[in-house]
């Protein structure tokens, strides 16, 4: 792709694309392009693991569509943005007081400057409109007249951008958990996402109180979650295994990522089962789509 779409003959940047072909070629409708959200989440796994039971794609969808996933520019396998991990490792993810928050603020400033320097010109061209133009270039490379698009969370912003730029090349558009396209700033995005996850956890806790299908039925699920974070902060939370806790530690960031994924895509029964596995140390947790 052109690094800068305003200069199509200028420097280029690569985009990693994956395709899961329709299982019923005779009944194929076309391509279904997707983005799982983020911002900053690789999307090629949507196609690479489309037939995983937790992917969200039904057998009927996989019969009728080629699923197209891609890592947006600057993300994952598409020439990832480059930052100094030594700075990243120092950034406190969950500041506990004003002093730690100030340290977070200072280190984030250093990290931003470092990322801009090391990533180079690409850093100025990782915006949603550039990604939407990349999506249309992928469409053209596939030889498709139109695409269908499924976007989750931040992916809804990309779908909205594509619809504005290329309305005649869009067959169907599905936006799941859409963000406000007129206010896509980081503060609003993080605030809305936090409220959504908190509300989902409360609904799961209410369901667990009254339904014996919940693996944590009879327990206060909110308190269970608080205890899991306390153990993660103390370094005593371990990955569960078939015979009990393993030696692999689970930190608070990994636990938060798990909850975001499980509450956003998992069924209540499966989410509660995995929380119970973390709590007791016995069982299995799915940390994402990829093995």
């Amino acid at each position: 792709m052109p690094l800068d779409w305003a200069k199509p003959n200028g420097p280029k940047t690569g985009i990693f694309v994956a395709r899961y072909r329709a299982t019923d070629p005779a009944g194929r409708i076309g391509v279904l392009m997707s983005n799982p959200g983020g911002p900053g989440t690789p999307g090629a796994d949507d196609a690479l693991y489309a037939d995983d039971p937790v992917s969200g794609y039904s057998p009927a969808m996989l019969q009728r569509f080629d699923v197209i996933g891609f890592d947006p520019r600057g993300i994952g396998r598409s020439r990832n943005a480059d930052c100094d991990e030594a700075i990243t490792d120092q950034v406190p993810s969950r500041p506990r007081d004003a002093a730690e928050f100030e340290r977070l603020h200072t280190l984030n400033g250093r990290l931003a400057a470092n990322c801009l320097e090391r990533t180079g010109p690409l850093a100025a061209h990782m915006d949603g409109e550039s990604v939407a133009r990349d999506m249309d270039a992928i469409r053209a490379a596939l030889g498709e007249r139109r695409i269908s698009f499924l976007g989750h969370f931040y992916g809804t912003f990309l779908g909205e951008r594509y619809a504005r730029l290329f309305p005649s090349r869009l067959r169907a558009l599905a936006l799941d958990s859409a963000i406000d396209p007129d206010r896509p700033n980081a503060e609003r995005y993080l605030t809305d996402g936090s409220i959504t996850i908190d509300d989902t956890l409360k609904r799961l806790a209410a369901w667990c109180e009254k339904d014996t299908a919940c693996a944590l039925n009879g327990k206060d699920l909110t308190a269970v979650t608080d205890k899991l974070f306390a153990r993660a902060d103390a370094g005593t939370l371990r990955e569960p295994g078939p015979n009990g806790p393993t030696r692999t530690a689970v930190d608070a960031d990994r636990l938060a990522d798990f909850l975001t994924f499980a509450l956003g895509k998992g069924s209540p029964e499966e989410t509660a089962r995995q929380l119970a596995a973390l709590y007791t140390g016995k069982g299995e947790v799915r940390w994402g789509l990829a093995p």
Side-chain angles (χ1 to χ4, degrees):
M1 306 294 178
L3 181 67
D4 180 354
W5 275 101
K7 301 175 181 177
N9 295 320
K12 309 296 183 184
T13 188
I15 305 295
F16 185 91
V17 183
R19 171 164 58 183
Y20 182 95
R21 294 184 182 274
T23 58
D24 179 13
R28 179 183 178 275
I29 292 173
V31 302
L32 174 61
M33 198 175 294
S34 67
N35 183 275
T41 303
D45 284 356
D46 275 14
L48 292 171
Y49 304 101
D51 56 355
D52 190 291
V54 299
S55 71
Y57 296 114
S58 68
M61 292 173 70
L62 297 180
Q63 287 175 348
R64 307 297 298 277
F65 291 97
D66 287 3
V67 177
I68 306 297
F70 66 101
D71 292 355
R73 53 173 56 209
I75 295 170
R77 290 152 286 199
S78 293
R79 198 204 145 188
N80 206 0
D82 188 14
C83 304
D84 187 349
E85 293 186 6
I87 301 176
T88 305
D89 292 342
Q90 297 176 53
V91 177
S93 59
R94 303 173 72 231
R96 296 173 177 81
D97 53 38
E100 282 198 3
F101 182 84
E102 185 57 35
R103 182 165 178 264
L104 170 67
H105 183 267
T106 300
L107 286 171
N108 273 344
R110 284 177 53 197
L111 183 61
N114 175 265
C115 292
L116 288 170
E117 180 182 357
R118 293 178 60 151
T119 303
L122 175 63
H125 302 287
M126 292 170 58
D127 56 286
E129 184 164 318
S130 293
V131 175
R133 293 186 182 280
D134 292 342
M135 289 164 53
D136 198 58
I138 294 170
R139 174 203 60 78
L142 292 169
E144 298 289 333
R145 188 171 64 88
R146 297 189 301 170
I147 66 167
S148 299
F149 180 79
L150 171 61
H152 302 275
F153 312 111
Y154 177 75
T156 66
F157 178 68
L158 300 179
E160 185 269 342
R161 291 289 97 181
Y162 189 86
R164 285 179 184 267
L165 290 169
F166 309 105
S168 65
R169 298 171 190 168
L170 194 61
R171 171 192 167 272
L173 178 66
L175 304 180
D176 178 14
S177 306
I179 65 172
D180 185 345
D182 292 328
R183 302 182 64 182
N185 64 77
E187 181 180 0
R188 173 68 182 270
Y189 176 77
L190 292 172
T191 300
D192 288 353
S194 298
I195 292 171
T196 300
I197 292 295
D198 188 57
D199 287 346
T200 305
L201 183 61
K202 288 176 180 176
R203 289 197 300 270
L204 181 65
W207 170 75
C208 271
E209 283 185 8
K210 60 184 180 182
D211 198 321
T212 56
C214 175
L216 291 165
N217 180 245
K219 295 186 180 297
D220 182 340
L221 190 137
T222 303
V224 166
T225 304
D226 289 342
K227 289 177 182 177
L228 288 174
F229 273 106
R231 287 163 57 188
D233 285 337
T236 59
L237 183 62
R238 298 286 186 270
E239 276 195 23
N243 301 312
T246 67
R247 295 183 178 180
T248 304
V250 178
D251 62 19
D253 284 344
R254 195 176 185 204
L255 178 59
D257 287 345
F258 159 75
L259 277 171
T260 301
F261 177 85
L263 292 170
K265 287 197 171 185
S267 67
E269 293 86 353
E270 182 65 12
T271 300
R273 185 194 66 76
Q274 293 186 78
L275 280 171
L278 279 168
Y279 189 66
T280 63
K282 190 171 183 178
E284 180 186 13
V285 170
R286 296 291 301 275
W287 298 103
L289 290 180

